[in-house]
Every structure is written in structure tokens, then in C-alpha cells.
């Protein structure tokens, strides 16, 4: 009896980890389907992509609003967690900032239908914008500070201001195939970088 109980306690963390991993995979599948079909995509399409039954999705998310909110938060979390990882792995802080902004743009331009959902009357959507700001602005600020400390960009660039500007450049990107938001945002981020030699080059 005691041995069985000990085995159960040891197995519990593994099961919880598996459950988190499975839920994350489900949310990734839902996000991918939302990109191509919007947030009103049939649940069976999401289930098929995730390799689970429809009942599994409804067990986790009893209604569509729950699923949309979870996908949104999952993507925000992934974008937030990418910031420190990029700082640790990229060739320079500016390169990390550029790659992170590219992820941010991808998040913005693939939220098909989410903007309309966020303006719905569902109370669950009310806190999402605050969650978005609270999670992502500090990450962007950290990247900007690192790039400024390295002398790659000027200091004093506000994270919220930059993110707002990037967001404005992304408006309409999902409805006009002739408009390349990534290219314009790339030009913006490249324009933040100081010339070679930094302040000395500017002074001369």
C-alpha cells in the first residue's frame, strides 16, 4: 500500500507536465487554424489538427470564448518568453530586438477575427488588453534597454510607443496582399540603429 502511494506521488508531477504539454499543443493547433480560418473556425478542424477528439477541446474549453481567450494568452506568453531567450542567443541586443519585433508582428497580423472578438460583450475579453500590455511592454523595454546600453540605439525610446507604432503599421496587413507590414516594420527597427561608431560618428 505504502509503495503504491509513493509511486502515485512520484507519477503526479509527470502527469501534470504531460497535461500542460498537451494543452499547449492544443492551443498551438487552435492558433494555427485561427490564422487560416479565423476564430469562428469549426472546432472539429482544431481537433483534427491537434490529433484529439472534439470532446477533449470542449472538456478544456466549454465555449468558444474560453478557447479564444486561452489561445490569445498562450501566444502572448510565448512572445513574452521569447524576449529573454533571444537576448541570450542573438548576436547582439539589436538583433534580439529585431527578431522579437518580428515575432510581435507575426502575432499581430495573424489574429484573424480576434479584434472583433475583443470588442464583443463577453466579460472574459475585458482583461486581455491589460494582460497584453503587462506581459509584453516590460519585455520590449528590456530589449530596448539592452540595445541602448550596448550603444546600438539611442536611449529614451519608450517600449509602449514603439509597440503602438508597430501595431499601427500592421493595421490592414491581413486584408491587403499588396501591403507588406513586415518590410515596413523592419525598416523602422533598422532605423533605430545608430551608425557605425555611434555617438562619435554622429558628432563628427
Amino acid at each position: 500500500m505504502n509503495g503504491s502511494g509513493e509511486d502515485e506521488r512520484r507519477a503526479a508531477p509527470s502527469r501534470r507536465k504531460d497535461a500542460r504539454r498537451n494543452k499547449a499543443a492544443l492551443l498551438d493547433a487552435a492558433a494555427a487554424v485561427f490564422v487560416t480560418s479565423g476564430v469562428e473556425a469549426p472546432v472539429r478542424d482544431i481537433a483534427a489538427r491537434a490529433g484529439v477528439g472534439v470532446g477533449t477541446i470542449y472538456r478544456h474549453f466549454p465555449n468558444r470564448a474560453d478557447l479564444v481567450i486561452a489561445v490569445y494568452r498562450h501566444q502572448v506568453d510565448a512572445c513574452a518568453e521569447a524576449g529573454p531567450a533571444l537576448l541570450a542567443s542573438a548576436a547582439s541586443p539589436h538583433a534580439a530586438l529585431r527578431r522579437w519585433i518580428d515575432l510581435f508582428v507575426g502575432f499581430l497580423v495573424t489574429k484573424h477575427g480576434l479584434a472583433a472578438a475583443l470588442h464583443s460583450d463577453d466579460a472574459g475579453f475585458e482583461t486581455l488588453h491589460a494582460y497584453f500590455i503587462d506581459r509584453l511592454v516590460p519585455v520590449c523595454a528590456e530589449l530596448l534597454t539592452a540595445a541602448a546600453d550596448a550603444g546600438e540605439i539611442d536611449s529614451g525610446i519608450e517600449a509602449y510607443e514603439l509597440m503602438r507604432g508597430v501595431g499601427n503599421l500592421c493595421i490592414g496587413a491581413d486584408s491587403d496582399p499588396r501591403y507588406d507590414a513586415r518590410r515596413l516594420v523592419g525598416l523602422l527597427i533598422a532605423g533605430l540603429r545608430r551608425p557605425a561608431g555611434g555617438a562619435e560618428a554622429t558628432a563628427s
Side-chain angles (χ1 to χ4, degrees):
M1 293 290 290
N2 290 338
S4 178
E6 182 65 25
D7 290 344
E8 183 68 19
R9 284 192 295 273
R10 289 176 178 172
S14 179
R15 286 200 300 270
R16 287 194 295 269
K17 186 175 181 179
D18 287 344
R20 287 193 297 269
R21 186 165 51 242
N22 292 340
K23 188 173 182 180
L26 192 158
L27 292 173
D28 286 337
V33 172
F34 287 170
V35 168
T36 57
S37 304
V39 296
E40 295 301 323
V43 172
R44 64 178 178 275
D45 291 353
I46 298 170
R49 187 177 185 95
V52 300
V54 171
T56 298
I57 294 180
Y58 282 120
R59 186 163 60 251
H60 286 290
F61 310 106
N63 57 62
R64 186 173 296 273
D66 294 332
L67 177 60
V68 173
I69 290 169
V71 167
Y72 183 91
R73 290 174 67 97
H74 178 61
Q75 291 187 305
V76 168
D77 289 342
C79 195
E81 291 163 7
L86 288 171
L87 266 181
S89 63
S92 70
H94 183 270
L97 173 66
R98 176 175 49 78
R99 289 170 60 186
W100 187 81
I101 289 291
D102 191 57
L103 290 175
F104 180 58
V105 170
F107 170 74
L108 293 177
V109 302
T110 57
K111 300 193 318 310
H112 291 248
L114 185 56
L118 290 172
H119 289 91
S120 74
D121 294 329
D122 193 293
F125 291 111
E126 293 178 2
T127 61
L128 281 183
H129 183 68
Y131 187 76
F132 171 89
I133 295 297
D134 290 346
R135 288 288 277 143
L136 296 187
V137 170
V139 176
C140 185
E142 181 183 4
L143 289 160
L144 286 170
T145 298
D149 289 347
E152 295 181 303
I153 66 172
D154 290 325
S155 60
I157 301 170
E158 295 292 333
Y160 179 80
E161 181 181 29
L162 177 61
M163 291 172 63
R164 184 70 181 266
V166 170
N168 287 338
L169 286 175
C170 291
I171 293 174
D174 61 345
S175 59
D176 187 349
R178 299 171 300 173
Y179 180 60
D180 188 348
R182 287 186 186 275
R183 189 179 73 84
L184 287 179
V185 171
L187 291 172
L188 170 65
I189 302 305
L192 296 179
R193 187 158 194 174
R194 285 179 169 181
E200 294 80 1
T202 302
S204 62

